[in-house]
Structure formats: C-alpha cells, structure tokens
Amino acid sequence: GKDAVRITLWDYNKNRPVKAQRRVNRTGTEEGVLKRTRERARDVWGWALKNQCECGNGVMVERKGSNGSFLGCSNYPECKKTAKNGG
C-alpha cells in the first residue's frame, strides 16, 4: 500500500536491483516506525559494504548454477569473480 517501503540496493550502472529486502517496512509519523526503517536501511548498506567484490564495482550476490548456489559479482560480465557460498 501507500504506507509501505521496501528497501532495495540498486545498481544504477546496470539499472537493476542487487539486493532487496523481502520484508515491507511500514511508514508513518511515529518515531519508532521511522527509527526501525532507518535501522533496516543501515542493515542493507552494511551488507553491501561487507560483501564488496575485489573489483570495487560490485557486491558478491548469491547465484544459482547447475552445481548449486555460489557467490558471484553483481558486476558480471565485466567481473567474473566467484566464491563458494558460505550458507
């Protein structure tokens, strides 16, 4: 609805989302609601900083391949860096 916000990390160079929260955050004038929305936005930003790729232009995101899931750079195909998925 009009009172909901979904926090999405967006790659403007490729015009696509890199990571989107599944949870929808309710907005409103209550300070607690705004505070929780800010905290969730900081969580997404912290995730992006923690999962930066060595190329410096992307983040490592979960991909699915024929041998299961793995981490790959969001800047693919310019960067082909991959890693094992820890989870």
Coordinates of all heavy atoms in Angstrom, one line a residue:
G1 N 0.8 -1.2 0.0 CA 0.0 0.0 0.0 C 0.8 1.3 0.0 O 2.1 1.2 -0.2
K2 N 0.2 2.4 0.2 CA 0.9 3.6 0.1 C 1.7 3.9 1.4 O 2.6 4.8 1.4 CB -0.1 4.8 0.0 CG -0.8 4.8 -1.3 CD -1.8 5.9 -1.4 CE -2.5 5.9 -2.7 NZ -3.5 7.0 -2.8
D3 N 1.5 3.1 2.4 CA 2.2 3.3 3.7 C 3.3 2.3 3.9 O 3.7 2.0 5.0 CB 1.3 3.3 4.9 CG 0.6 1.9 5.0 OD1 0.6 1.2 4.0 OD2 0.2 1.6 6.1
A4 N 3.9 1.7 2.8 CA 4.9 0.7 2.9 C 6.1 1.1 2.0 O 6.0 1.6 1.0 CB 4.3 -0.6 2.5
V5 N 7.3 0.7 2.5 CA 8.5 0.9 1.8 C 9.3 -0.4 1.8 O 9.4 -1.1 2.8 CB 9.3 2.0 2.5 CG1 10.7 2.2 1.8 CG2 8.6 3.3 2.5
R6 N 9.9 -0.8 0.7 CA 10.8 -1.9 0.6 C 12.2 -1.4 0.3 O 12.3 -0.7 -0.7 CB 10.3 -2.9 -0.5 CG 11.2 -4.1 -0.5 CD 10.6 -5.2 -1.3 NE 9.3 -5.4 -0.8 CZ 8.5 -6.4 -1.0 NH1 8.8 -7.3 -1.9 NH2 7.3 -6.5 -0.5
I7 N 13.1 -1.7 1.1 CA 14.5 -1.2 0.9 C 15.2 -2.1 -0.1 O 15.3 -3.3 0.1 CB 15.2 -1.1 2.3 CG1 14.5 -0.2 3.2 CG2 16.7 -0.7 2.1 CD1 14.9 -0.2 4.6
T8 N 15.7 -1.4 -1.2 CA 16.4 -2.1 -2.2 C 17.7 -1.5 -2.5 O 17.8 -0.3 -2.6 CB 15.5 -2.1 -3.5 OG1 14.3 -2.7 -3.2 CG2 16.2 -2.9 -4.6
L9 N 18.8 -2.3 -2.6 CA 20.1 -1.8 -3.0 C 20.1 -1.9 -4.6 O 19.9 -3.0 -5.1 CB 21.2 -2.7 -2.4 CG 22.6 -2.3 -2.7 CD1 22.9 -0.9 -2.2 CD2 23.6 -3.3 -2.1
W10 N 20.3 -0.8 -5.3 CA 20.1 -0.7 -6.7 C 21.4 -0.4 -7.4 O 22.2 0.4 -6.9 CB 19.1 0.4 -7.0 CG 18.6 0.4 -8.4 CD1 19.1 1.1 -9.5 CD2 17.5 -0.4 -8.9 NE1 18.4 0.8 -10.6 CE2 17.4 -0.1 -10.3 CE3 16.7 -1.3 -8.3 CZ2 16.5 -0.7 -11.1 CZ3 15.7 -1.9 -9.1 CH2 15.6 -1.6 -10.5
D11 N 21.7 -1.1 -8.5 CA 22.9 -0.9 -9.3 C 22.5 0.0 -10.4 O 21.9 -0.4 -11.4 CB 23.4 -2.2 -9.8 CG 24.7 -2.0 -10.6 OD1 25.0 -0.9 -11.0 OD2 25.4 -3.0 -10.9
Y12 N 22.8 1.3 -10.3 CA 22.3 2.3 -11.4 C 23.1 2.1 -12.7 O 22.6 2.5 -13.7 CB 22.5 3.7 -10.8 CG 21.4 4.0 -9.8 CD1 21.7 4.0 -8.5 CD2 20.1 4.3 -10.2 CE1 20.7 4.3 -7.5 CE2 19.1 4.6 -9.3 CZ 19.4 4.6 -7.9 OH 18.4 4.8 -7.0
N13 N 24.3 1.6 -12.7 CA 25.0 1.4 -13.9 C 24.3 0.3 -14.8 O 24.3 0.4 -16.0 CB 26.5 1.0 -13.6 CG 27.2 2.1 -12.9 OD1 27.0 3.2 -13.2 ND2 28.1 1.7 -12.0
K14 N 23.8 -0.7 -14.2 CA 23.1 -1.8 -14.9 C 21.6 -1.7 -14.9 O 20.9 -2.5 -15.5 CB 23.6 -3.1 -14.4 CG 25.1 -3.4 -14.6 CD 25.4 -4.8 -14.3 CE 26.9 -5.0 -14.4 NZ 27.4 -4.9 -15.8
N15 N 21.1 -0.7 -14.1 CA 19.7 -0.5 -14.0 C 18.9 -1.7 -13.5 O 18.0 -2.2 -14.2 CB 19.1 0.0 -15.3 CG 17.7 0.7 -15.1 OD1 17.4 1.2 -14.0 ND2 16.9 0.6 -16.1
R16 N 19.4 -2.3 -12.4 CA 18.8 -3.5 -11.8 C 19.1 -3.6 -10.3 O 20.0 -3.0 -9.9 CB 19.3 -4.8 -12.5 CG 20.8 -5.0 -12.2 CD 21.2 -6.3 -12.9 NE 22.6 -6.5 -12.5 CZ 23.4 -7.2 -13.2 NH1 23.0 -7.8 -14.3 NH2 24.7 -7.4 -12.8
P17 N 18.2 -4.2 -9.6 CA 18.4 -4.4 -8.2 C 19.5 -5.4 -7.9 O 19.7 -6.4 -8.6 CB 17.1 -4.9 -7.6 CG 16.4 -5.5 -8.8 CD 16.9 -4.8 -10.0
V18 N 20.3 -5.1 -6.8 CA 21.3 -6.0 -6.4 C 20.8 -6.9 -5.2 O 21.0 -8.1 -5.2 CB 22.6 -5.3 -6.0 CG1 23.6 -6.2 -5.4 CG2 23.2 -4.5 -7.2
K19 N 20.1 -6.2 -4.3 CA 19.6 -6.9 -3.1 C 18.3 -6.1 -2.7 O 18.4 -4.9 -2.6 CB 20.6 -6.9 -2.0 CG 20.0 -7.7 -0.8 CD 21.1 -7.9 0.3 CE 20.6 -8.6 1.5 NZ 20.3 -10.0 1.3
A20 N 17.3 -6.9 -2.5 CA 16.0 -6.3 -2.0 C 15.6 -7.0 -0.7 O 15.7 -8.2 -0.6 CB 14.9 -6.4 -3.0
Q21 N 15.1 -6.2 0.2 CA 14.6 -6.9 1.4 C 13.2 -7.5 1.1 O 12.4 -6.9 0.4 CB 14.4 -5.8 2.5 CG 15.6 -5.4 3.2 CD 15.3 -4.6 4.5 OE1 14.3 -3.9 4.5 NE2 16.2 -4.7 5.4
R22 N 13.0 -8.7 1.6 CA 11.7 -9.3 1.4 C 10.7 -8.6 2.3 O 9.5 -8.6 1.9 CB 11.8 -10.8 1.8 CG 12.7 -11.5 0.8 CD 12.7 -13.0 1.2 NE 13.6 -13.7 0.2 CZ 14.1 -14.8 0.4 NH1 13.9 -15.5 1.5 NH2 14.9 -15.3 -0.5
R23 N 11.1 -8.1 3.4 CA 10.1 -7.5 4.4 C 9.7 -6.1 3.9 O 10.6 -5.4 3.4 CB 10.8 -7.4 5.7 CG 9.9 -6.8 6.8 CD 10.6 -6.7 8.1 NE 9.7 -6.1 9.0 CZ 9.4 -6.6 10.2 NH1 10.0 -7.7 10.6 NH2 8.6 -6.0 11.0
V24 N 8.5 -5.8 4.0 CA 8.0 -4.5 3.7 C 8.0 -3.7 5.0 O 7.5 -4.2 6.0 CB 6.6 -4.6 3.1 CG1 6.0 -3.2 2.9 CG2 6.6 -5.3 1.7
N25 N 8.5 -2.5 5.0 CA 8.5 -1.7 6.1 C 7.4 -0.7 6.1 O 7.2 0.1 5.1 CB 9.9 -0.9 6.2 CG 11.0 -1.8 6.2 OD1 11.2 -2.6 7.1 ND2 11.8 -1.8 5.1
R26 N 6.6 -0.6 7.1 CA 5.5 0.3 7.2 C 6.1 1.7 7.6 O 7.0 1.8 8.4 CB 4.5 -0.1 8.3 CG 3.8 -1.3 8.0 CD 2.8 -1.1 7.0 NE 2.3 -2.4 6.5 CZ 1.7 -2.6 5.3 NH1 1.6 -1.6 4.5 NH2 1.3 -3.7 5.0
T27 N 5.5 2.7 6.9 CA 6.0 4.1 7.2 C 4.9 4.7 8.0 O 3.8 4.2 8.2 CB 6.2 4.9 5.9 OG1 4.9 4.9 5.2 CG2 7.2 4.2 5.0
G28 N 5.2 5.9 8.5 CA 4.3 6.6 9.3 C 4.9 7.7 10.0 O 6.1 8.0 9.9
T29 N 4.2 8.4 10.8 CA 4.7 9.6 11.6 C 5.3 9.2 12.9 O 6.0 10.0 13.6 CB 3.7 10.6 11.7 OG1 2.5 10.1 12.4 CG2 3.2 11.2 10.4
E30 N 5.0 8.0 13.4 CA 5.5 7.6 14.7 C 7.0 7.4 14.6 O 7.6 6.9 13.7 CB 4.9 6.2 15.0 CG 3.5 6.1 15.1 CD 3.0 4.7 15.3 OE1 3.7 3.9 15.8 OE2 1.8 4.5 14.9
E31 N 7.7 7.9 15.6 CA 9.1 7.9 15.7 C 9.7 6.5 15.6 O 10.7 6.2 15.0 CB 9.7 8.7 16.9 CG 11.2 8.8 16.8 CD 11.7 9.8 17.8 OE1 11.0 10.7 18.1 OE2 12.9 9.6 18.1
G32 N 9.1 5.6 16.3 CA 9.5 4.2 16.3 C 9.5 3.5 14.9 O 10.5 2.8 14.6
V33 N 8.5 3.8 14.1 CA 8.4 3.3 12.8 C 9.6 3.8 11.9 O 10.3 3.1 11.2 CB 7.1 3.6 12.2 CG1 7.0 3.2 10.7 CG2 6.0 2.9 12.9
L34 N 9.8 5.1 12.0 CA 10.9 5.8 11.2 C 12.2 5.2 11.7 O 13.1 5.0 10.8 CB 10.8 7.3 11.4 CG 11.8 8.1 10.5 CD1 11.6 7.8 9.1 CD2 11.6 9.6 10.8
K35 N 12.4 5.1 13.0 CA 13.7 4.6 13.5 C 13.9 3.2 13.0 O 15.1 2.9 12.6 CB 13.6 4.6 15.0 CG 14.9 4.1 15.7 CD 14.8 4.2 17.2 CE 16.1 3.6 17.8 NZ 16.0 3.6 19.3
R36 N 12.9 2.3 13.0 CA 13.1 0.9 12.5 C 13.4 0.9 11.0 O 14.3 0.1 10.5 CB 11.9 0.1 12.8 CG 11.8 -0.3 14.3 CD 10.7 -1.3 14.5 NE 9.4 -0.9 14.1 CZ 8.5 -0.2 14.8 NH1 8.8 0.2 16.0 NH2 7.3 0.2 14.3
T37 N 12.8 1.8 10.2 CA 13.1 1.8 8.8 C 14.5 2.3 8.6 O 15.2 1.7 7.7 CB 12.1 2.8 8.1 OG1 10.8 2.4 8.4 CG2 12.3 2.9 6.6
R38 N 15.0 3.3 9.3 CA 16.4 3.7 9.2 C 17.3 2.6 9.6 O 18.4 2.4 8.9 CB 16.6 4.9 10.1 CG 16.1 6.2 9.6 CD 16.7 7.3 10.4 NE 15.8 8.4 10.4 CZ 15.2 9.0 11.4 NH1 15.5 8.7 12.6 NH2 14.4 10.0 11.3
E39 N 17.0 1.8 10.6 CA 17.9 0.7 11.0 C 17.9 -0.4 9.9 O 19.0 -0.9 9.6 CB 17.4 0.1 12.3 CG 17.6 1.0 13.5 CD 16.9 0.4 14.8 OE1 16.1 -0.6 14.7 OE2 17.0 1.1 15.8
R40 N 16.8 -0.7 9.3 CA 16.8 -1.7 8.2 C 17.6 -1.2 7.0 O 18.3 -2.0 6.4 CB 15.4 -2.0 7.9 CG 14.7 -2.8 9.0 CD 13.3 -3.2 8.7 NE 12.7 -3.9 9.8 CZ 11.6 -3.5 10.4 NH1 10.9 -2.5 9.9 NH2 11.1 -4.1 11.4
A41 N 17.5 0.1 6.7 CA 18.3 0.7 5.6 C 19.8 0.6 5.9 O 20.6 0.2 5.0 CB 17.9 2.1 5.4
R42 N 20.1 0.8 7.2 CA 21.6 0.7 7.6 C 22.0 -0.7 7.5 O 23.2 -1.0 7.1 CB 21.8 1.2 9.0 CG 21.8 2.7 9.1 CD 22.2 3.2 10.4 NE 21.8 4.6 10.6 CZ 20.9 5.1 11.4 NH1 20.2 4.3 12.2 NH2 20.6 6.4 11.4
D43 N 21.1 -1.7 7.8 CA 21.5 -3.1 7.6 C 21.8 -3.5 6.2 O 22.8 -4.2 5.9 CB 20.3 -4.0 8.1 CG 20.2 -4.0 9.7 OD1 21.1 -3.5 10.3 OD2 19.1 -4.4 10.1
V44 N 21.0 -3.0 5.3 CA 21.2 -3.3 3.8 C 22.6 -2.6 3.4 O 23.4 -3.2 2.7 CB 20.1 -2.8 3.0 CG1 20.4 -2.9 1.5 CG2 18.8 -3.6 3.3
W45 N 22.8 -1.4 3.8 CA 24.0 -0.7 3.5 C 25.2 -1.4 4.1 O 26.3 -1.6 3.4 CB 24.0 0.7 4.0 CG 25.2 1.5 3.5 CD1 26.2 2.0 4.3 CD2 25.5 1.9 2.2 NE1 27.1 2.6 3.6 CE2 26.7 2.6 2.3 CE3 24.9 1.7 1.0 CZ2 27.3 3.2 1.1 CZ3 25.5 2.3 -0.2 CH2 26.7 3.0 -0.1
G46 N 25.1 -1.9 5.3 CA 26.2 -2.7 6.0 C 26.4 -4.0 5.2 O 27.6 -4.4 5.0
W47 N 25.4 -4.6 4.7 CA 25.5 -5.8 3.9 C 26.3 -5.6 2.7 O 27.2 -6.3 2.3 CB 24.1 -6.4 3.6 CG 24.2 -7.6 2.7 CD1 24.3 -8.9 3.1 CD2 24.3 -7.6 1.3 NE1 24.4 -9.7 1.9 CE2 24.4 -8.9 0.8 CE3 24.2 -6.6 0.3 CZ2 24.4 -9.2 -0.5 CZ3 24.3 -6.9 -1.0 CH2 24.4 -8.2 -1.4
A48 N 26.0 -4.4 2.0 CA 26.7 -4.1 0.8 C 28.2 -3.8 1.1 O 29.1 -4.3 0.3 CB 26.1 -2.9 0.1
L49 N 28.5 -3.2 2.1 CA 29.9 -2.9 2.5 C 30.7 -4.2 2.8 O 31.8 -4.4 2.4 CB 30.0 -1.9 3.6 CG 29.5 -0.5 3.3 CD1 29.5 0.4 4.6 CD2 30.4 0.2 2.2
K50 N 30.0 -5.1 3.5 CA 30.6 -6.3 3.9 C 30.9 -7.3 2.8 O 31.8 -8.0 2.8 CB 29.7 -7.0 5.0 CG 30.3 -8.3 5.6 CD 29.4 -8.8 6.7 CE 28.5 -9.8 6.0 NZ 27.7 -10.6 7.0
N51 N 30.0 -7.2 1.7 CA 30.1 -8.1 0.6 C 30.6 -7.5 -0.7 O 30.3 -8.0 -1.7 CB 28.7 -8.7 0.4 CG 28.2 -9.6 1.5 OD1 28.9 -10.6 1.8 ND2 27.2 -9.2 2.2
Q52 N 31.4 -6.5 -0.5 CA 32.0 -5.9 -1.7 C 32.9 -6.8 -2.4 O 33.6 -7.6 -1.8 CB 32.8 -4.6 -1.4 CG 32.0 -3.4 -1.2 CD 32.8 -2.2 -1.0 OE1 33.9 -2.2 -0.4 NE2 32.4 -1.1 -1.5
C53 N 32.9 -6.8 -3.8 CA 33.8 -7.6 -4.6 C 35.2 -6.9 -4.7 O 35.3 -5.7 -4.5 CB 33.2 -7.7 -6.0 SG 34.2 -8.8 -7.1
E54 N 36.2 -7.7 -4.9 CA 37.5 -7.2 -5.1 C 37.7 -6.2 -6.2 O 38.6 -5.4 -6.2 CB 38.5 -8.3 -5.2 CG 38.6 -9.2 -4.0 CD 39.4 -10.5 -4.3 OE1 40.0 -10.6 -5.4 OE2 39.5 -11.3 -3.4
C55 N 36.8 -6.3 -7.2 CA 36.9 -5.4 -8.4 C 36.5 -3.9 -8.0 O 36.9 -3.0 -8.6 CB 36.0 -5.8 -9.5 SG 34.2 -5.6 -9.2
G56 N 35.8 -3.8 -6.8 CA 35.4 -2.5 -6.4 C 34.2 -1.9 -7.0 O 33.8 -0.8 -6.6
N57 N 33.6 -2.5 -8.0 CA 32.4 -2.0 -8.7 C 31.2 -2.8 -8.4 O 30.1 -2.5 -9.0 CB 32.7 -2.0 -10.2 CG 33.8 -1.0 -10.5 OD1 33.9 0.1 -9.9 ND2 34.7 -1.4 -11.5
G58 N 31.2 -3.9 -7.6 CA 30.1 -4.7 -7.4 C 30.1 -5.3 -6.0 O 31.0 -5.1 -5.3
V59 N 29.0 -6.1 -5.7 CA 29.0 -6.8 -4.5 C 28.8 -8.3 -4.8 O 28.2 -8.6 -5.9 CB 27.8 -6.3 -3.6 CG1 28.1 -4.9 -3.1 CG2 26.5 -6.4 -4.2
M60 N 29.2 -9.1 -3.9 CA 29.0 -10.6 -4.1 C 27.6 -11.0 -3.8 O 27.2 -10.8 -2.6 CB 30.0 -11.3 -3.3 CG 31.5 -11.0 -3.6 SD 31.9 -11.4 -5.3 CE 32.2 -13.1 -5.2
V61 N 26.9 -11.5 -4.7 CA 25.5 -11.9 -4.5 C 25.3 -13.3 -4.8 O 26.1 -13.9 -5.5 CB 24.5 -11.0 -5.4 CG1 24.5 -9.6 -5.0 CG2 24.8 -11.2 -6.9
E62 N 24.3 -13.9 -4.2 CA 24.0 -15.4 -4.4 C 23.5 -15.6 -5.8 O 22.6 -14.9 -6.3 CB 23.0 -15.9 -3.4 CG 22.8 -17.4 -3.5 CD 21.9 -17.9 -2.4 OE1 21.5 -17.2 -1.5 OE2 21.6 -19.1 -2.5
R63 N 24.1 -16.6 -6.5 CA 23.7 -17.0 -7.8 C 23.4 -18.5 -7.7 O 23.9 -19.2 -6.8 CB 24.8 -16.8 -8.8 CG 25.4 -15.4 -8.8 CD 24.7 -14.6 -9.8 NE 25.3 -13.3 -10.0 CZ 24.7 -12.2 -10.4 NH1 23.5 -12.3 -10.7 NH2 25.4 -11.1 -10.5
K64 N 22.7 -19.0 -8.7 CA 22.3 -20.4 -8.8 C 22.9 -21.0 -10.1 O 22.6 -20.4 -11.1 CB 20.9 -20.6 -8.6 CG 20.4 -20.2 -7.2 CD 18.9 -20.5 -7.0 CE 18.7 -20.1 -5.6 NZ 17.4 -19.9 -5.2
G65 N 23.6 -22.1 -10.0 CA 24.1 -22.7 -11.1 C 23.8 -24.2 -11.1 O 23.1 -24.7 -10.3
S66 N 24.3 -24.9 -12.1 CA 24.0 -26.3 -12.3 C 24.6 -27.2 -11.1 O 24.1 -28.2 -10.8 CB 24.5 -26.9 -13.6 OG 25.9 -26.6 -13.7
N67 N 25.6 -26.7 -10.4 CA 26.2 -27.4 -9.3 C 25.8 -26.8 -8.0 O 26.4 -27.0 -6.9 CB 27.7 -27.3 -9.4 CG 28.2 -28.1 -10.6 OD1 27.7 -29.1 -11.0 ND2 29.3 -27.6 -11.3
G68 N 24.7 -26.0 -7.9 CA 24.2 -25.4 -6.7 C 24.5 -23.9 -6.6 O 24.8 -23.3 -7.6
S69 N 24.3 -23.4 -5.5 CA 24.4 -21.9 -5.3 C 25.9 -21.5 -5.1 O 26.7 -22.3 -4.5 CB 23.5 -21.4 -4.2 OG 23.9 -21.9 -3.0
F70 N 26.2 -20.3 -5.5 CA 27.6 -19.8 -5.3 C 27.4 -18.2 -5.2 O 26.4 -17.7 -5.4 CB 28.5 -20.2 -6.4 CG 28.1 -19.6 -7.8 CD1 28.7 -18.5 -8.3 CD2 27.1 -20.3 -8.5 CE1 28.3 -18.0 -9.5 CE2 26.7 -19.8 -9.8 CZ 27.3 -18.7 -10.3
L71 N 28.5 -17.6 -4.9 CA 28.6 -16.1 -4.8 C 29.2 -15.6 -6.1 O 30.3 -16.1 -6.5 CB 29.3 -15.6 -3.6 CG 28.7 -16.0 -2.3 CD1 29.6 -15.5 -1.1 CD2 27.3 -15.4 -2.1
G72 N 28.6 -14.6 -6.7 CA 29.2 -14.0 -7.9 C 29.1 -12.5 -7.9 O 28.2 -12.0 -7.2
C73 N 30.0 -11.9 -8.6 CA 30.0 -10.4 -8.6 C 28.7 -9.9 -9.3 O 28.3 -10.4 -10.4 CB 31.2 -9.9 -9.3 SG 31.4 -8.1 -9.2
S74 N 28.1 -8.8 -8.7 CA 26.9 -8.2 -9.4 C 27.3 -7.4 -10.6 O 26.5 -7.0 -11.4 CB 26.2 -7.3 -8.4 OG 27.1 -6.2 -8.0
N75 N 28.6 -7.2 -10.8 CA 29.1 -6.5 -12.0 C 29.5 -7.4 -13.2 O 30.2 -7.1 -14.1 CB 30.4 -5.7 -11.6 CG 30.7 -4.7 -12.6 OD1 29.9 -4.1 -13.2 ND2 32.0 -4.4 -12.7
Y76 N 28.9 -8.7 -13.1 CA 29.1 -9.6 -14.2 C 28.4 -9.0 -15.5 O 27.4 -8.4 -15.3 CB 28.5 -11.0 -13.8 CG 28.6 -12.0 -14.9 CD1 29.7 -12.8 -15.0 CD2 27.6 -12.2 -15.8 CE1 29.8 -13.8 -16.0 CE2 27.7 -13.2 -16.8 CZ 28.8 -13.9 -16.9 OH 28.9 -14.9 -17.8
P77 N 29.0 -9.1 -16.6 CA 30.1 -9.9 -17.1 C 31.5 -9.2 -17.0 O 32.5 -9.8 -17.4 CB 29.8 -10.3 -18.5 CG 29.0 -9.1 -19.0 CD 28.2 -8.6 -17.8
E78 N 31.5 -7.9 -16.6 CA 32.8 -7.2 -16.6 C 33.7 -7.9 -15.5 O 34.9 -7.9 -15.7 CB 32.6 -5.7 -16.2 CG 31.9 -4.9 -17.3 CD 30.4 -5.0 -17.4 OE1 29.8 -5.6 -16.5 OE2 29.9 -4.6 -18.5
C79 N 33.1 -8.3 -14.4 CA 33.9 -9.0 -13.4 C 33.4 -10.4 -13.3 O 32.2 -10.6 -13.1 CB 33.8 -8.3 -12.1 SG 34.6 -9.1 -10.7
K80 N 34.2 -11.4 -13.4 CA 33.8 -12.8 -13.3 C 34.2 -13.5 -12.0 O 34.3 -14.7 -11.9 CB 34.4 -13.6 -14.5 CG 33.8 -13.1 -15.8 CD 34.3 -13.8 -17.0 CE 33.6 -13.5 -18.3 NZ 33.5 -12.2 -18.7
K81 N 34.5 -12.7 -11.0 CA 34.9 -13.2 -9.7 C 33.8 -14.1 -9.0 O 32.6 -13.6 -9.0 CB 35.3 -12.1 -8.8 CG 35.6 -12.4 -7.3 CD 37.0 -12.9 -7.3 CE 37.3 -13.2 -5.8 NZ 38.4 -14.0 -5.6
T82 N 34.1 -15.2 -8.5 CA 33.1 -16.1 -7.8 C 33.7 -16.6 -6.5 O 34.9 -16.5 -6.4 CB 32.7 -17.3 -8.7 OG1 33.9 -18.1 -9.0 CG2 32.0 -16.9 -10.0
A83 N 32.9 -17.1 -5.7 CA 33.3 -17.7 -4.4 C 32.3 -18.7 -4.0 O 31.2 -18.7 -4.4 CB 33.5 -16.6 -3.3
K84 N 32.7 -19.6 -3.1 CA 31.8 -20.6 -2.5 C 30.8 -19.8 -1.6 O 31.1 -18.9 -0.9 CB 32.6 -21.6 -1.7 CG 33.4 -22.5 -2.5 CD 34.1 -23.6 -1.6 CE 34.9 -24.5 -2.5 NZ 35.6 -25.5 -1.7
N85 N 29.6 -20.3 -1.6 CA 28.5 -19.8 -0.8 C 28.7 -20.4 0.6 O 28.6 -21.6 0.8 CB 27.2 -20.1 -1.4 CG 26.1 -19.3 -0.7 OD1 26.3 -18.6 0.2 ND2 24.9 -19.5 -1.3
G86 N 28.9 -19.5 1.6 CA 29.1 -20.0 3.0 C 27.8 -20.5 3.6 O 27.8 -21.2 4.6
G87 N 26.6 -20.1 3.1 CA 25.4 -20.5 3.7 C 24.5 -21.2 2.9 O 23.9 -22.0 2.5

